[in-house]
Coordinates of all heavy atoms in Angstrom, one line a residue:
Y1 N -39.9 -5.0 -7.5 CA -39.4 -4.1 -8.6 C -39.5 -4.8 -9.9 O -39.3 -6.0 -10.0 CB -38.0 -3.7 -8.3 CG -37.8 -2.9 -7.0 CD1 -37.7 -3.6 -5.8 CD2 -37.9 -1.5 -6.9 CE1 -37.5 -3.0 -4.6 CE2 -37.8 -0.9 -5.7 CZ -37.5 -1.6 -4.6 OH -37.5 -1.0 -3.4
N2 N -39.7 -4.1 -11.0 CA -39.7 -4.6 -12.3 C -38.3 -4.3 -12.8 O -37.8 -3.1 -13.0 CB -40.7 -3.9 -13.2 CG -40.7 -4.6 -14.6 OD1 -40.9 -5.8 -14.7 ND2 -40.5 -3.8 -15.6
I3 N -37.5 -5.4 -13.1 CA -36.2 -5.2 -13.6 C -36.1 -5.4 -15.1 O -36.7 -6.3 -15.7 CB -35.3 -6.3 -13.0 CG1 -35.4 -6.4 -11.5 CG2 -33.8 -6.1 -13.4 CD1 -35.0 -5.1 -10.8
E4 N -35.4 -4.5 -15.8 CA -35.3 -4.6 -17.2 C -33.7 -4.6 -17.5 O -33.0 -3.9 -16.9 CB -35.9 -3.5 -18.0 CG -37.5 -3.5 -17.8 CD -38.2 -2.4 -18.6 OE1 -37.4 -1.5 -19.2 OE2 -39.4 -2.4 -18.7
G5 N -33.4 -5.4 -18.5 CA -32.0 -5.4 -18.9 C -31.7 -6.2 -20.1 O -32.6 -6.7 -20.8
N6 N -30.4 -6.4 -20.5 CA -30.0 -7.2 -21.6 C -29.3 -8.4 -21.2 O -28.3 -8.4 -20.4 CB -29.0 -6.4 -22.5 CG -29.7 -5.1 -23.1 OD1 -30.8 -5.1 -23.5 ND2 -29.0 -4.0 -22.9
L7 N -29.8 -9.6 -21.7 CA -29.2 -10.8 -21.3 C -28.5 -11.4 -22.6 O -29.1 -11.6 -23.7 CB -30.3 -11.9 -20.9 CG -29.9 -13.2 -20.6 CD1 -28.9 -13.2 -19.4 CD2 -31.2 -14.1 -20.3
T8 N -27.3 -11.7 -22.4 CA -26.4 -12.2 -23.5 C -26.1 -13.7 -23.3 O -25.4 -14.0 -22.3 CB -25.2 -11.4 -23.7 OG1 -25.5 -10.1 -24.0 CG2 -24.3 -12.0 -24.9
I9 N -26.5 -14.6 -24.1 CA -26.2 -16.0 -24.1 C -25.7 -16.4 -25.5 O -26.3 -16.0 -26.5 CB -27.4 -16.8 -23.7 CG1 -28.0 -16.4 -22.4 CG2 -27.1 -18.4 -23.6 CD1 -29.3 -17.1 -22.0
K10 N -24.6 -17.1 -25.5 CA -24.0 -17.6 -26.8 C -23.7 -16.4 -27.8 O -23.9 -16.5 -29.0 CB -25.0 -18.6 -27.6 CG -25.3 -19.9 -26.7 CD -26.3 -20.7 -27.4 CE -25.9 -21.3 -28.7 NZ -26.8 -22.3 -29.3
G11 N -23.4 -15.3 -27.2 CA -23.1 -14.1 -28.0 C -24.3 -13.4 -28.5 O -24.2 -12.5 -29.4
I12 N -25.5 -13.8 -28.2 CA -26.8 -13.3 -28.6 C -27.4 -12.5 -27.5 O -27.6 -13.0 -26.4 CB -27.7 -14.3 -29.2 CG1 -27.1 -15.1 -30.3 CG2 -29.0 -13.7 -29.6 CD1 -27.9 -16.4 -30.7
T13 N -27.7 -11.3 -27.8 CA -28.3 -10.4 -26.7 C -29.8 -10.1 -27.0 O -30.2 -9.7 -28.1 CB -27.6 -9.1 -26.6 OG1 -26.2 -9.3 -26.4 CG2 -28.1 -8.1 -25.5
N14 N -30.6 -10.3 -26.0 CA -32.1 -10.0 -26.0 C -32.4 -9.2 -24.7 O -31.9 -9.4 -23.7 CB -32.9 -11.3 -26.1 CG -32.9 -11.9 -27.5 OD1 -33.3 -11.4 -28.4 ND2 -32.2 -13.1 -27.5
K15 N -33.4 -8.3 -24.9 CA -33.9 -7.7 -23.8 C -34.8 -8.6 -22.9 O -35.6 -9.3 -23.6 CB -34.7 -6.4 -24.2 CG -33.9 -5.3 -24.9 CD -34.7 -4.1 -25.3 CE -33.8 -3.0 -25.9 NZ -34.6 -1.8 -26.3
V16 N -34.8 -8.5 -21.6 CA -35.6 -9.3 -20.8 C -36.2 -8.4 -19.7 O -35.6 -7.3 -19.3 CB -34.9 -10.4 -20.2 CG1 -34.4 -11.5 -21.3 CG2 -33.7 -10.0 -19.4
S17 N -37.3 -8.7 -19.1 CA -37.8 -8.0 -17.9 C -38.5 -9.1 -17.0 O -39.0 -10.1 -17.4 CB -38.8 -6.9 -18.4 OG -40.0 -7.5 -19.0
F18 N -38.5 -8.8 -15.7 CA -39.0 -9.7 -14.7 C -39.2 -9.0 -13.4 O -38.4 -8.0 -13.1 CB -38.1 -10.9 -14.6 CG -36.7 -10.6 -14.3 CD1 -36.2 -10.4 -13.0 CD2 -35.7 -10.4 -15.4 CE1 -34.9 -10.1 -12.7 CE2 -34.4 -10.1 -15.1 CZ -34.0 -10.0 -13.8
P19 N -40.1 -9.5 -12.6 CA -40.2 -8.9 -11.2 C -39.2 -9.5 -10.2 O -38.8 -10.6 -10.4 CB -41.6 -9.3 -10.8 CG -41.9 -10.6 -11.6 CD -41.2 -10.5 -12.8
A20 N -38.7 -8.7 -9.3 CA -37.7 -9.1 -8.4 C -38.1 -8.6 -7.0 O -38.6 -7.5 -6.8 CB -36.4 -8.7 -8.8
N21 N -37.8 -9.5 -6.0 CA -38.0 -9.1 -4.6 C -36.7 -8.7 -4.0 O -35.7 -9.5 -4.0 CB -38.6 -10.3 -3.8 CG -38.9 -10.0 -2.4 OD1 -38.0 -9.9 -1.6 ND2 -40.2 -9.8 -2.1
V22 N -36.5 -7.4 -3.5 CA -35.3 -6.9 -3.0 C -35.5 -6.7 -1.6 O -36.3 -5.9 -1.1 CB -34.9 -5.6 -3.8 CG1 -33.6 -5.1 -3.2 CG2 -34.8 -5.9 -5.2
V23 N -34.6 -7.3 -0.7 CA -34.8 -7.2 0.7 C -33.4 -6.8 1.3 O -32.4 -7.4 1.0 CB -35.2 -8.5 1.4 CG1 -35.3 -8.4 2.9 CG2 -36.6 -8.9 0.9
M24 N -33.4 -5.8 2.2 CA -32.3 -5.4 2.9 C -32.5 -5.9 4.4 O -33.4 -5.5 5.1 CB -32.2 -3.9 2.9 CG -32.1 -3.2 1.6 SD -30.6 -3.6 0.7 CE -29.4 -2.7 1.6
S25 N -31.7 -6.9 4.8 CA -31.9 -7.5 6.2 C -30.5 -8.0 6.6 O -29.7 -8.6 5.9 CB -32.9 -8.6 6.0 OG -33.1 -9.3 7.2
D26 N -30.3 -7.8 7.9 CA -29.1 -8.4 8.6 C -27.8 -8.0 7.8 O -26.9 -8.8 7.7 CB -29.2 -9.9 8.7 CG -30.4 -10.3 9.5 OD1 -30.8 -9.6 10.5 OD2 -31.0 -11.4 9.2
G27 N -27.7 -6.8 7.4 CA -26.5 -6.3 6.8 C -26.3 -6.9 5.4 O -25.2 -6.8 5.0
M28 N -27.3 -7.4 4.7 CA -27.1 -7.9 3.4 C -28.2 -7.5 2.4 O -29.3 -7.2 2.8 CB -27.1 -9.5 3.5 CG -26.0 -10.0 4.3 SD -26.1 -11.8 4.4 CE -24.7 -12.1 5.5
M29 N -27.9 -7.5 1.1 CA -28.9 -7.2 0.1 C -29.2 -8.6 -0.6 O -28.3 -9.2 -1.2 CB -28.3 -6.2 -1.0 CG -29.3 -5.9 -2.1 SD -28.6 -5.0 -3.5 CE -28.2 -3.5 -2.6
N30 N -30.4 -9.0 -0.5 CA -30.9 -10.3 -1.1 C -31.9 -10.0 -2.2 O -32.9 -9.2 -2.0 CB -31.5 -11.2 -0.1 CG -31.9 -12.5 -0.6 OD1 -33.1 -12.9 -0.3 ND2 -31.2 -13.1 -1.4
V31 N -31.6 -10.5 -3.4 CA -32.6 -10.3 -4.5 C -33.1 -11.7 -5.0 O -32.3 -12.6 -5.2 CB -31.9 -9.6 -5.7 CG1 -32.8 -9.5 -6.9 CG2 -31.3 -8.3 -5.3
K32 N -34.4 -11.9 -5.1 CA -34.9 -13.1 -5.5 C -35.9 -12.8 -6.7 O -36.7 -11.8 -6.7 CB -35.7 -13.8 -4.4 CG -34.8 -14.3 -3.3 CD -35.6 -15.1 -2.2 CE -34.7 -15.6 -1.1 NZ -35.5 -16.4 -0.1
A33 N -35.8 -13.7 -7.7 CA -36.7 -13.5 -8.9 C -37.0 -14.9 -9.5 O -36.2 -15.8 -9.4 CB -36.0 -12.6 -9.9
A34 N -38.2 -15.0 -10.1 CA -38.6 -16.2 -10.8 C -39.3 -15.8 -12.1 O -40.1 -14.9 -12.1 CB -39.6 -17.0 -9.9
F35 N -38.8 -16.3 -13.3 CA -39.3 -15.9 -14.5 C -39.0 -17.0 -15.6 O -38.3 -18.0 -15.3 CB -38.7 -14.6 -15.0 CG -37.2 -14.5 -15.0 CD1 -36.5 -14.8 -16.1 CD2 -36.5 -14.3 -13.8 CE1 -35.1 -14.7 -16.0 CE2 -35.1 -14.2 -13.7 CZ -34.4 -14.4 -14.9

């Protein structure tokens, strides 16, 4: 999935987007992303 959102660091907010791998397995939701 392509994830879009607002990232706030040091009180400064910027829009970011990145791909994420979302897996439902063994009763858990696992999200992995690299960017």
Side-chain angles (χ1 to χ4, degrees):
Y1 301 84
N2 185 58
I3 307 297
E4 295 184 354
N6 296 318
L7 179 60
T8 301
I9 305 174
K10 298 174 66 172
I12 302 169
T13 301
N14 286 294
K15 293 181 179 179
V16 297
S17 63
F18 52 87
N21 183 285
V22 181
V23 176
M24 305 291 289
S25 177
D26 298 326
M28 298 178 183
M29 179 190 296
N30 181 225
V31 180
K32 294 184 178 181
F35 54 96

